[in-house]
Protein backbone atom coordinates (compact mmCIF):
# COMPACT_ATOMS: atom_id res chain seq x y z
CA UNK A 1 0.00 0.00 0.00
CA UNK A 2 1.29 3.45 -0.86
CA UNK A 3 2.16 5.78 1.97
CA UNK A 4 0.21 9.00 2.37
CA UNK A 5 3.24 10.99 3.52
CA UNK A 6 4.11 13.59 0.89
CA UNK A 7 7.84 14.23 0.72
CA UNK A 8 8.05 16.16 -2.55
CA UNK A 9 6.28 16.79 -5.85
CA UNK A 10 7.17 15.65 -9.34
CA UNK A 11 6.43 18.46 -11.82
CA UNK A 12 5.28 17.50 -15.30
CA UNK A 13 5.49 19.71 -18.38
CA UNK A 14 1.76 20.43 -18.33
CA UNK A 15 1.99 22.10 -14.86
CA UNK A 16 0.69 19.02 -13.05
CA UNK A 17 2.36 18.12 -9.78
CA UNK A 18 2.43 14.51 -8.59
CA UNK A 19 2.92 13.83 -4.87
CA UNK A 20 5.74 11.42 -4.04
CA UNK A 21 6.56 9.68 -0.76
CA UNK A 22 10.05 9.78 0.82
CA UNK A 23 11.23 6.88 -1.41
CA UNK A 24 9.90 8.41 -4.65
CA UNK A 25 6.76 6.27 -5.00
CA UNK A 26 3.41 7.84 -5.92
CA UNK A 27 1.24 8.83 -2.98
CA UNK A 28 -1.88 8.49 -5.15
CA UNK A 29 -1.44 5.48 -7.45
CA UNK A 30 -4.34 6.74 -9.58
CA UNK A 31 -2.19 9.65 -10.80
CA UNK A 32 0.10 7.38 -12.83
CA UNK A 33 0.36 8.03 -16.55
CA UNK A 34 3.04 7.22 -19.11
CA UNK A 35 4.20 10.85 -18.73
CA UNK A 36 4.70 10.26 -15.00
CA UNK A 37 6.74 7.15 -15.81
CA UNK A 38 8.91 9.14 -18.22
CA UNK A 39 9.51 11.90 -15.66
CA UNK A 40 10.42 9.39 -12.95
CA UNK A 41 12.70 7.56 -15.39
CA UNK A 42 14.44 10.84 -16.25
CA UNK A 43 15.21 11.29 -12.56
CA UNK A 44 16.70 7.78 -12.51
CA UNK A 45 18.75 8.50 -15.63
CA UNK A 46 16.79 5.90 -17.61
CA UNK A 47 15.62 6.49 -21.18
CA UNK A 48 12.52 4.34 -21.52
CA UNK A 49 12.37 2.21 -24.65
CA UNK A 50 10.16 -0.65 -25.80
CA UNK A 51 11.86 -3.19 -23.50
CA UNK A 52 11.17 -0.99 -20.46
CA UNK A 53 7.53 -0.51 -21.43
CA UNK A 54 7.06 -4.27 -21.81
CA UNK A 55 8.21 -4.81 -18.24
CA UNK A 56 6.16 -1.88 -16.94
CA UNK A 57 3.07 -3.40 -18.54
CA UNK A 58 3.82 -6.81 -16.98
CA UNK A 59 4.19 -5.10 -13.60
CA UNK A 60 0.93 -3.19 -13.93
CA UNK A 61 -0.89 -6.40 -14.98
CA UNK A 62 0.66 -8.25 -12.02
CA UNK A 63 -0.52 -5.50 -9.66
CA UNK A 64 -4.02 -5.55 -11.11
CA UNK A 65 -4.22 -9.31 -10.61
CA UNK A 66 -2.55 -9.69 -7.20
CA UNK A 67 -2.92 -6.20 -5.68
CA UNK A 68 0.79 -6.05 -4.87
CA UNK A 69 4.01 -5.19 -6.64
CA UNK A 70 6.26 -8.23 -7.05
CA UNK A 71 9.64 -8.60 -5.38
CA UNK A 72 12.53 -9.67 -7.60
CA UNK A 73 11.91 -13.42 -7.84
CA UNK A 74 8.18 -13.15 -8.68
CA UNK A 75 9.01 -10.30 -11.08
CA UNK A 76 11.50 -12.48 -12.98
CA UNK A 77 8.92 -15.28 -13.20
CA UNK A 78 6.13 -12.94 -14.33
CA UNK A 79 8.32 -11.36 -17.01
CA UNK A 80 9.46 -14.80 -18.18
CA UNK A 81 5.88 -16.04 -18.50
CA UNK A 82 4.71 -12.90 -20.31
CA UNK A 83 7.72 -12.06 -22.48
CA UNK A 84 9.68 -15.29 -22.80
CA UNK A 85 12.66 -16.88 -21.09
CA UNK A 86 15.26 -14.55 -22.61
CA UNK A 87 13.61 -11.53 -21.00
CA UNK A 88 12.64 -13.38 -17.82
CA UNK A 89 16.16 -13.25 -16.42
CA UNK A 90 17.42 -11.08 -13.59
CA UNK A 91 20.38 -9.88 -15.68
CA UNK A 92 17.98 -8.52 -18.33
CA UNK A 93 15.98 -6.67 -15.66
CA UNK A 94 19.15 -5.33 -14.04
CA UNK A 95 20.26 -3.85 -17.37
CA UNK A 96 16.89 -2.14 -17.79
CA UNK A 97 16.38 -1.01 -14.20
CA UNK A 98 19.81 -0.67 -12.51
CA UNK A 99 20.17 -0.94 -8.77
CA UNK A 100 17.14 -2.79 -7.50
CA UNK A 101 15.05 -3.75 -10.57
CA UNK A 102 11.92 -4.67 -8.61
CA UNK A 103 11.91 -1.36 -6.73
CA UNK A 104 12.91 0.87 -9.66
CA UNK A 105 10.49 -0.76 -12.10
CA UNK A 106 7.62 -0.62 -9.57
CA UNK A 107 8.29 3.07 -8.95
CA UNK A 108 8.26 3.81 -12.70
CA UNK A 109 5.11 1.70 -13.15
CA UNK A 110 3.32 3.79 -10.54
CA UNK A 111 3.05 0.95 -8.04
CA UNK A 112 3.83 0.81 -4.34
CA UNK A 113 7.20 -0.45 -3.11
CA UNK A 114 7.32 -4.25 -3.39
CA UNK A 115 6.97 -6.02 -0.09
CA UNK A 116 10.06 -7.94 0.99
CA UNK A 117 12.35 -5.39 -0.68
CA UNK A 118 14.73 -3.49 1.56
Amino acid sequence: MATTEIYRYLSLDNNIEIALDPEGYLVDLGQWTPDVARALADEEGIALDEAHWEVIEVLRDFYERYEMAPAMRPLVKAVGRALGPDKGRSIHLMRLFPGSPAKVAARLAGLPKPSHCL
Side-chain angles (χ1 to χ4, degrees):
M1 175 186 247
T3 180
T4 57
E5 179 185 353
I6 297 173
Y7 180 73
R8 68 183 181 95
Y9 290 91
L10 177 71
S11 296
L12 302 180
D13 290 337
N14 51 4
N15 294 324
I16 293 175
E17 292 197 335
I18 307 296
L20 301 177
D21 74 7
E23 293 186 78
Y25 293 88
L26 299 181
V27 171
D28 177 358
L29 303 181
Q31 289 188 303
W32 185 87
T33 66
D35 286 337
V36 170
R38 286 184 199 93
L40 290 169
D42 285 346
E43 288 186 350
E44 296 278 343
I46 297 172
L48 296 177
D49 63 20
E50 185 178 334
H52 293 93
W53 287 111
E54 289 176 332
V55 174
I56 288 170
E57 182 151 330
V58 169
L59 270 166
R60 293 188 59 81
D61 289 345
F62 187 101
Y63 186 80
E64 188 174 310
R65 176 176 283 178
Y66 300 108
E67 297 181 359
M68 62 181 284
M72 189 62 177
R73 184 170 284 163
L75 174 59
V76 169
K77 287 184 177 187
V79 170
R81 278 194 304 272
L83 305 176
D86 290 343
K87 294 181 181 182
R89 299 177 61 221
S90 58
I91 193 74
H92 174 70
L93 295 173
M94 291 171 88
R95 275 194 301 265
L96 293 174
F97 304 100
S100 176
K103 288 171 55 175
V104 173
R107 188 170 32 253
L108 300 185
L111 305 179
K113 179 180 175 182
S115 50
H116 309 298
C117 279
L118 302 175

